[in-house]
């Protein structure tokens, strides 16, 4: 077992220039978590960090978690297991499918179990983990998406990385708020915990509200210091022509790749808020690029 996972690679903080931001007089920087690692990419390393530390402390021989057939979380988990010498198992939503992500999981040695849709919906019920703990004795179970308090605590370190670069990278003494996609709400909760009310955190919901993100964030970080915005555009992973056109236009302007499930929807939701006059000129925002680019293969 190696200890490298406890020391996180640093994501670069870069200025983000887009016509609609310039028209509104906003200054926006983007923290490029997509650039920290080719496989354990984006916010996933931060979310996994404290889980991996706990697994090592417990002497766990392997890691087991859940996700879909394009899951960025399972992809990063399989890569981390292979890199740090831990076996991995993935519990997948639905029925067996051959996707680029699934192929990668198999190539990285992850044991796959397909739960169907009903079986996956039971993931939050009492006793769900019992048969899997019997099948994989002493393995460390990680909540869906790397969630829970350990996931949020790892994500709190994102704030530290951004603040250390404010002056040298941007010439900023301070900033006003964060803007990021919220899938499980874990990363958002981590930022709220780290900020402790000093800077507002805006979460663009990649899932409908009834999926439970508001309750998750409240349970991890309380009810203050953040705001949630609807950004799922009709459902999780629902992709439409306007969204794809927005992503293509943004990539032409910035050279920064986005994906349509999280970062693309989050940035599009920010544009809607900016054009509705929700931010005064001179506002300084940090947009968090949470990675997930391997998932682009699922729809491109």
């Amino acid at each position: 077992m190696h200890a490298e996972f406890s020391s996180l690679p640093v994501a670069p903080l870069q200025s983000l220039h887009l016509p609609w931001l310039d028209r509104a007089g906003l200054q926006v920087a983007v923290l490029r978590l997509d650039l920290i690692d080719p496989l354990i990419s984006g916010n996933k390393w931060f979310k996994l960090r404290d889980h991996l530390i706990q697994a090592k402390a417990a002497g766990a021989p392997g890691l087991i978690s859940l996700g879909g057939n394009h899951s960025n979380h399972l992809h990063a988990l399989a890569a981390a297991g292979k890199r740090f010498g831990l076996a991995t198992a993935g519990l997948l939503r639905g029925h067996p499918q051959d996707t680029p992500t699934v192929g990668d999981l198999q190539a990285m040695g992850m044991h796959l179990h397909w739960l169907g849709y009903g079986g996956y919906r039971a993931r939050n019920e009492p006793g769900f983990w019992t048969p899997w703990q019997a099948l994989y004795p002493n393995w460390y179970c990680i909540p869906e998406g790397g969630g829970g308090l350990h996931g949020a605590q790892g994500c709190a370190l994102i704030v530290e990385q951004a603040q250390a670069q404010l002056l040298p990278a941007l010439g900023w003494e301070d900033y006003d708020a964060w803007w990021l996609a919220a899938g499980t709400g874990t990363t958002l909760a981590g930022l709220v915990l780290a900020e402790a009310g000093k800077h507002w955190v805006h979460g663009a919901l990649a899932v409908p509200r009834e999926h439970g993100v508001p309750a998750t964030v409240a349970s991890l970080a309380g009810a203050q210091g953040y705001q949630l915005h609807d950004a799922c555009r009709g459902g999780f992973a629902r992709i439409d022509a306007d969204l794809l056109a927005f992503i293509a236009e943004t990539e032409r302007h910035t050279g920064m790749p986005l994906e349509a499930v999280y970062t693309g929807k989050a940035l599009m939701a920010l544009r809607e808020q900016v054009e509705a006059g929700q931010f005064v000129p001179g506002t300084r925002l940090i947009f968090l690029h949470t990675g997930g680019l391997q998932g682009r293969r699922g729809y491109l």
Side-chain angles (χ1 to χ4, degrees):
M1 163 74 72
H2 301 287
E4 296 98 308
F5 54 75
S6 62
S7 145
L8 292 160
V10 176
L13 185 66
Q14 304 171 347
S15 294
L16 183 65
H17 295 288
L18 288 161
W20 50 272
L21 291 173
D22 295 340
R23 285 193 298 271
L26 266 63
Q27 297 181 62
V28 177
V30 55
L31 189 65
R32 297 285 305 273
L33 299 189
D34 59 307
L35 297 178
I36 64 172
D37 190 274
L39 289 174
I40 314 173
S41 177
N43 59 344
K44 301 308 175 191
W45 197 323
F46 293 85
K47 290 170 83 171
L48 288 174
R49 176 186 183 270
D50 283 29
H51 286 297
L52 290 168
I53 291 171
Q54 291 296 316
K56 180 186 178 184
L63 309 163
I64 183 168
S65 194
L66 313 94
N69 58 14
H70 301 295
S71 171
N72 298 315
H73 165 62
L74 288 184
H75 197 269
L77 182 66
K82 184 175 181 182
R83 186 176 302 178
F84 301 126
L86 287 164
T88 55
L91 311 180
L92 281 89
R93 180 177 59 246
H95 304 290
Q97 295 184 54
D98 183 16
T99 69
T101 301
V102 169
D104 284 353
L105 300 182
Q106 293 169 324
M108 289 187 283
M110 177 175 272
H111 304 280
L112 303 185
H113 301 273
W114 296 86
L115 304 186
Y117 294 99
Y120 197 83
R121 280 194 294 273
R123 66 194 179 280
N124 296 319
E125 294 179 4
F128 170 82
W129 287 105
T130 302
W132 300 108
Q133 288 169 327
L135 184 61
Y136 294 103
N138 301 316
W139 282 38
Y140 183 88
C141 301
I142 299 177
E144 182 181 30
L149 185 57
H150 290 312
Q153 288 170 334
C155 289
L157 299 172
I158 293 170
V159 172
E160 190 179 296
Q161 286 204 1
Q163 291 178 346
Q165 298 179 70
L166 278 178
L167 200 57
L170 305 172
W172 292 8
E173 294 285 350
D174 202 1
Y175 57 100
D176 298 296
W178 289 84
W179 189 281
L180 70 152
T184 63
T186 306
T187 304
L188 176 93
L191 268 58
V192 174
L193 288 171
E195 287 288 6
K198 294 188 183 99
H199 302 96
W200 203 253
V201 182
H202 294 273
L205 288 166
V207 299
R209 286 180 183 259
E210 57 267 26
H211 282 214
V213 174
T216 296
V217 177
S219 69
L220 292 171
Q224 305 296 321
Y226 62 92
Q227 183 176 358
L228 299 176
H229 305 266
D230 295 317
C232 72
R233 303 184 66 78
F236 177 63
R238 190 75 57 82
I239 296 169
D240 57 71
D242 287 344
L243 174 63
L244 292 177
F246 170 78
I247 289 173
E249 180 186 9
T250 301
E251 290 179 347
R252 281 196 301 273
H253 277 289
T254 66
M256 178 179 69
L258 299 170
E259 46 72 46
V261 178
Y262 300 103
T263 53
K265 286 185 176 181
L267 196 58
M268 194 172 187
L270 176 59
R271 186 185 69 174
E272 291 168 358
Q273 292 292 311
V274 168
E275 292 181 342
Q278 297 301 307
F279 293 99
V280 300
T283 299
R284 288 176 169 174
L285 297 176
I286 300 177
F287 177 80
L288 187 65
H289 193 313
T290 51
L293 297 177
Q294 72 85 26
R296 286 161 55 109
R297 301 175 298 176
Y299 60 85
L300 289 180

